[in-house]
Amino acid sequence: MTVTSPEVDLTGGRPVVPSRGALRPLGLGEVRLTGGFWSARQQVNGAATLAHGRSWMDRLGWTGNFTADGTGSVDRRGRQFSDSEVYKLIEAMAWELGRRPDPALATELDELTGAVAAAQSPDGYVNTAFGRPGQPGRYTDLASGHELYCTGHLLQAAVARARTGDGGRLLDVARRAADHVCDTFGPDGIPGLCGHPEIETALVELARLTGQRRYLDQAALFVARRGHRSLPPHAFGWSYYSDDIPVRAADVLRGHAVRALYLASGAVDVAVETGDDELLAAVAAQFDRTLARRTYLTGGMGSRHTDEAFGDDFVLPADRAYSETCAGIAAIMLAWRLLLATGESRYGDVIERILFNVVATAISDDGRSFFYANTLHQRTPTRPVPDDEEQLGFGGGPRAPWYEVSCCLPNIARLLASLGTYLATAGDDGLRLHQYADAEVATRLADGRRVGLAVRTRYPDDGLVLVRITETGAGPWSVTLRVPDWADGATLVVGGERRAVAPGAVEVRREYAVGDEIRLELPVRPRFTVPDPRIDAVRGCVAVERGPVVYCAEATRPVAVDTDPDATTTDGGDLDTIRIDPAVVPVDVADGVEVRARFDAPGGAGWPYRPPAATSAGPGSVPVRLVPYHRWGRRGPATMRVWLPTT
């Protein structure tokens, strides 16, 4: 039996190609970013980030671990999972080639493919940390060895390469590796699983590409094995491996955030391809509860540094937010799969929040440094990091050019290179826009008609989204727009008629002519947001949002506001003493949003507890300029906070 998908297009370039579902994803050949916020970041990614990642992997020996004769040595460099970072870089390069032809990049990709192919054993196994002379034996450490995790990223890289025009050598390597996994871990093989989920979604995508049912069956088997405590006990508990509760029996995501989200993504893929609606509903319900109780305002996932994990319900401390960049990307992967499966536009809201407040925050303007974790409150000023210094700690601090564990940079790179594929989808009778950016979209509907549109917008700075029809066939078809959940008071203008639209999906169905326009006007203006009172860590605070963007107070020089009249913006002031006046509505100003606040006099140097004061001894109310959270830390060492105590 094979998995078939009539929509598979080896040149289309789509990370996810389900054979069934409410919506059909569009490929890089069908959606093109043409300008604005995300196009600029995509260009930096292609021009700088890919080369930056390659240079560090070469320098640290991670690419060199793939020796020409495949024998390896005990001098292998990097953590046991460093192979996966090379594979993610290859995947990012493949999506970039799908976005824009580049002969030099193609040559580089072929060279890396050759190195990986040379390192593969005759039986299909490929991993530079195990099974070679002087190394541990194959699959002797399923809990922490990451062998299957690395294989998963190899499969995803090969799928990306095949879907962007080259289904040759790397795909052959991947198929042999996947066959080895099925032979080794199938129903008659080792009844084990990897401590780090990831291979599940990769196997399903390879099945979708090749039509080989055994890859899907193996993914389903791994999902079914998960949650029975078959891996060795861990100091952080079996939830660290997502091995504490069977997938379909859980009610919330827990444990190591990236692992939990990758597993959930794989489970959705299995559910979609096998028609297991019960499993699909179970994962959707887990994600809903996670969003409602265990997710930061930014969309960040994970509140515990020690085990990179989700905390308990409503345990979301701002100053200890882990919110790993990889967890944000994994949450986008999960939300996108659920969006395609169900057609529910609310998953587009989740993706938007994470894109603007985790992904955009993580990467530097030049594409050569990044955040591993994304705190919501930086108490002490960040310090500059030298361009050539690898960071050993990865749980906080400034953007850094590289970390000993650098999973996040190639993860960002592969997402940005393929970002156009997350903007729009096709339904049975039209197009749906899920994210707003300058873009051109053109595809063929199920009935064979060619349709297309162009989007022009300054979003998120401005709420006007202009959609112009560029191609159309005879007869009516629909354009469906997502009205974000924050956009109360949005309006839609079609054919000169204006009407109010509520948050959710709004469909415009008509017989279009080339040049017809749809105007969506979203109320992008500053607003206060208050936390659920069960989030103890930020009770009594407010945050400021503007459209999809979270704002923050940032101080780049530690001076006392009451002694420096120029320090009435976030250039100065002790953010630990700031108190926002929630009675004064935040307003737009140049380069930010302005609120009114005072800076209370700090307590003494002694005992930090005292009776409540009837009035503050601090200075009077002053204007304070907030900046987009994704802009913090770009002007030099700084303190920062998102949640602001009130007067």
Side-chain angles (χ1 to χ4, degrees):
M1 180 178 179
T2 61
V3 178
T4 61
S5 173
E7 304 301 342
V8 170
D9 177 359
L10 296 186
T11 63
R14 291 168 286 179
V16 183
V17 186
S19 64
R20 59 190 285 268
L23 298 171
R24 175 174 65 87
L26 301 181
L28 294 173
E30 298 168 295
V31 184
R32 185 170 64 91
L33 285 164
T34 58
F37 189 98
W38 288 113
S39 177
R41 285 156 177 79
Q42 193 174 64
Q43 291 175 36
V44 168
N45 184 63
T49 304
L50 296 180
H52 177 78
R54 175 66 194 271
S55 67
W56 272 94
M57 292 184 198
D58 287 349
R59 171 185 169 187
L60 295 175
W62 297 1
T63 51
N65 290 329
F66 295 90
T67 56
D69 60 3
T71 59
S73 74
V74 294
D75 296 328
R76 180 192 180 277
R77 299 175 66 185
R79 295 281 192 98
Q80 69 269 35
F81 44 76
S82 66
D83 289 3
S84 69
E85 315 309 354
V86 178
Y87 298 146
K88 277 186 283 187
L89 180 67
I90 291 174
E91 182 185 349
M93 290 176 170
W95 295 129
E96 183 66 14
L97 280 174
R99 190 180 73 82
R100 60 174 185 90
D102 183 338
L105 184 60
T107 298
E108 184 178 6
L109 187 48
D110 288 343
E111 177 254 316
L112 285 171
T113 297
V116 173
Q120 188 170 35
S121 299
D123 66 352
Y125 178 86
V126 55
N127 191 285
T128 70
F130 293 87
R132 295 174 172 182
Q135 294 180 337
R138 296 179 182 181
Y139 306 122
T140 53
D141 186 8
L142 284 174
S144 301
H146 291 74
E147 286 163 276
L148 293 173
Y149 169 83
C150 289
T151 300
H153 279 299
L154 168 61
L155 304 188
Q156 287 183 314
V159 167
R161 189 70 176 117
R163 287 187 177 149
T164 52
D166 186 347
R169 192 176 189 186
L170 188 59
L171 183 59
D172 289 340
V173 171
R175 295 184 69 153
R176 291 175 59 212
D179 287 339
H180 165 79
V181 169
C182 293
D183 292 341
T184 306
F185 292 92
D188 300 323
I190 300 172
L193 68 161
C194 186
H196 198 310
E198 202 282 336
I199 194 171
E200 296 83 0
T201 194
L203 282 167
V204 174
E205 216 57 57
L206 187 63
R208 289 166 170 166
L209 176 71
T210 64
Q212 292 299 310
R213 176 75 192 216
R214 72 180 314 212
Y215 303 148
L216 171 60
D217 290 343
Q218 186 62 51
L221 185 58
F222 280 141
V223 171
R225 285 176 181 169
R226 186 74 56 174
H228 299 284
R229 305 190 176 190
S230 60
L231 292 168
H234 192 281
F236 300 134
W238 276 286
S239 65
Y240 182 75
Y241 302 126
S242 296
D243 194 32
D244 56 329
I245 304 171
V247 174
R248 66 180 71 239
D251 61 5
V252 71
L253 301 183
R254 69 239 165 265
H256 189 283
V258 177
R259 299 175 197 230
L261 289 158
Y262 278 168
L263 176 61
S265 296
V268 170
D269 286 334
V270 168
V272 166
E273 296 306 324
T274 60
D276 191 339
D277 293 339
E278 178 187 83
L279 178 59
L280 178 64
V283 176
Q286 293 163 27
F287 195 40
D288 282 347
R289 185 180 176 94
T290 301
L291 292 169
R293 295 168 176 257
R294 299 186 173 189
T295 302
Y296 283 99
L297 178 66
T298 57
M301 303 273 171
S303 58
R304 294 188 349 201
H305 280 240
T306 303
D307 49 350
E308 301 183 293
F310 290 103
D312 293 333
D313 287 354
F314 304 109
V315 179
L316 294 164
D319 55 352
R320 292 297 294 164
Y322 197 63
S323 186
E324 185 185 336
T325 298
C326 279
I329 293 169
I332 289 174
M333 292 170 56
L334 176 56
W336 182 242
R337 284 162 168 78
L338 289 170
L339 174 62
L340 295 176
T342 68
E344 296 183 24
S345 66
R346 62 194 179 94
Y347 294 116
D349 292 341
V350 176
I351 293 170
E352 176 180 76
R353 182 170 292 274
I354 298 170
L355 281 174
F356 281 110
N357 300 298
V358 176
V359 175
T361 305
I363 195 74
S364 65
D365 290 340
D366 67 1
R368 294 184 174 91
S369 62
F370 60 104
F371 284 137
Y372 187 105
N374 293 274
T375 185
L376 274 68
H377 184 178
Q378 181 71 34
R379 290 183 178 273
T380 58
T382 55
R383 64 176 181 84
V385 175
D387 291 342
D388 60 350
E389 180 180 304
E390 180 187 24
Q391 298 301 293
L392 301 181
F394 44 87
R399 293 178 186 85
W402 205 253
Y403 297 85
E404 182 187 19
V405 177
S406 277
C407 49
C408 298
L409 184 71
N411 228 351
I412 295 170
R414 65 176 182 154
L415 175 66
L416 289 178
S418 61
L419 188 60
T421 67
Y422 293 87
L423 266 62
T425 59
D428 289 337
D429 191 34
L431 295 174
R432 293 185 63 166
L433 293 177
H434 304 286
Q435 305 300 325
Y436 297 124
D438 279 6
E440 295 177 355
V441 182
T443 191
R444 196 176 296 278
L445 299 180
D447 61 8
R449 283 182 295 172
R450 286 280 305 179
V451 297
L453 53 83
V455 182
R456 297 292 179 264
T457 181
R458 294 182 57 248
Y459 195 80
D461 293 336
D462 184 274
L464 175 61
V465 180
L466 182 63
V467 178
R468 182 171 57 83
I469 304 301
T470 57
E471 290 186 68
T472 185
W477 55 282
S478 63
V479 176
T480 302
L481 307 176
R482 178 182 60 87
V483 179
D485 57 359
W486 50 264
D488 290 324
T491 59
L492 188 73
V493 182
V494 182
E497 296 183 4
R498 177 184 298 270
R499 63 184 174 97
V501 289
V506 55
E507 181 182 13
V508 181
R509 179 177 172 78
R510 61 188 301 178
E511 186 163 357
Y512 291 101
V514 172
D516 284 353
E517 292 186 345
I518 302 170
R519 291 169 58 94
L520 177 64
E521 298 173 358
L522 301 172
V524 173
R525 53 180 176 265
R527 64 189 186 277
F528 280 127
T529 298
V530 297
D532 187 299
R534 291 170 289 184
I535 306 176
D536 289 327
V538 292
R539 186 182 289 128
C541 295
V542 296
V544 174
E545 298 180 87
R546 184 180 184 278
V549 177
V550 173
Y551 277 66
C552 67
E554 180 186 49
T556 56
R557 51 194 179 101
V559 297
V561 171
D562 56 351
T563 61
D564 185 347
D566 295 327
T568 56
T569 70
T570 55
D571 285 338
D574 182 353
L575 296 185
D576 283 342
T577 68
I578 194 171
R579 299 292 182 270
I580 297 296
D581 184 350
V584 181
V585 175
V587 296
D588 283 316
V589 295
D591 299 322
V593 167
E594 187 175 276
V595 295
R596 297 293 299 189
R598 70 169 187 251
F599 291 83
D600 288 350
W607 186 243
Y609 309 100
R610 57 186 183 273
T615 59
S616 171
S621 174
V622 296
V624 173
R625 180 173 56 84
L626 309 182
V627 298
Y629 174 69
H630 64 73
R631 296 302 307 164
W632 95 269
R634 298 180 190 272
R635 299 183 296 164
T639 58
M640 177 276 298
R641 66 187 304 164
V642 167
W643 288 107
L644 306 168
T646 58
T647 53

